[in-house]
Amino acid sequence: MAETSGYGIIILAAGNSSRLGEPKQLLRYQDKTLIRHVTQAAIAAKSTSVTVVTGSNADLIAKELNSLPCHAVYNPDWESGMASSIVTGVQQQMASQPGISGVIFAVSDQPFVTVDLFNALIDKSLEGNAGIVASAYENTFGTPVLFSSKYFPSLLKLTGAEGAKKLITKFAIDVTPVPFPSGGIDIDTQADYQKLLGNS
């Protein structure tokens, strides 16, 4: 029987980490890989399903997650940019849970994402009937970000390097923030990673 409500979490993990020189999804922090950390947080949250969109290094990432209750979905067009992974994730959620209320997009290189943050996004959406609930940090809005299902058509129209940020900007009046002070810490380079390890 199809789910008629609830929120799915889509983890975008298809990139090839070109600036880092190795798959950032598999970097270790506090005894687990970044992809495992965010996936476990998503599974523990009040989500109805967790989808991990893979691309580059798909086999390594799927292997890392094979013991966890999540769906790994391969995006064959991952090299075309972030939009194709968003589309892949939304299509998977719509197919597996046709009545889903909305989805949260997360990335694998924000090491401080927690269960509590995912739940806060969901709670904020439920309590205020908010269409978009975005993490707020460093004077901007970003991931993790929740979109209610009414935005699925807009998400499915994204192309190339476009990401959720485009819709957060376009529908700014619909955005409700949730504070995520350490959201600006992400891993793009070896220097970022060494800094993270040095602070832990």
Side-chain angles (χ1 to χ4, degrees), residues 1-8 48 93-94 96-102 126 149 152:
M1 195 172 126
E3 283 274 359
T4 53
S5 63
Y7 294 87
T48 52
Q93 286 287 3
M94 291 172 72
S96 62
Q97 294 177 272
I100 199 160
S101 302
L126 292 171
S149 56
F152 287 180

Side-chain angles (χ1 to χ4, degrees), residues 187-198:
I187 313 300
D188 286 320
T189 64
Q190 287 290 343
D192 292 340
Y193 183 45
Q194 294 308 318
K195 185 175 170 189
L196 173 71
L197 296 179

Side-chain angles (χ1 to χ4, degrees), residues 61-139:
I61 292 166
K63 186 177 172 190
E64 175 64 14
L65 300 176
N66 68 5
S67 61
L68 299 178
C70 62
H71 311 279
V73 182
Y74 179 69
N75 168 21
D77 300 319
W78 65 269
E79 287 181 272
S80 68
M82 177 74 81
S84 61
S85 290
I86 288 174
V87 170
T88 299
V90 172
Q91 288 175 335
Q92 159 70 21
Q93 286 287 3
M94 291 172 72
S96 62
Q97 294 177 272
I100 199 160
S101 302
V103 296
I104 294 172
F105 291 102
V107 293
S108 60
D109 65 340
Q110 287 177 304
F112 298 105
V113 166
T114 62
V115 179
D116 290 343
L117 178 64
F118 284 134
N119 286 339
L121 294 169
I122 293 169
D123 289 344
K124 188 68 81 171
S125 179
L126 292 171
E127 77 186 32
N129 208 13
I132 302 173
V133 184
S135 299
Y137 46 88
E138 296 183 357
N139 300 314

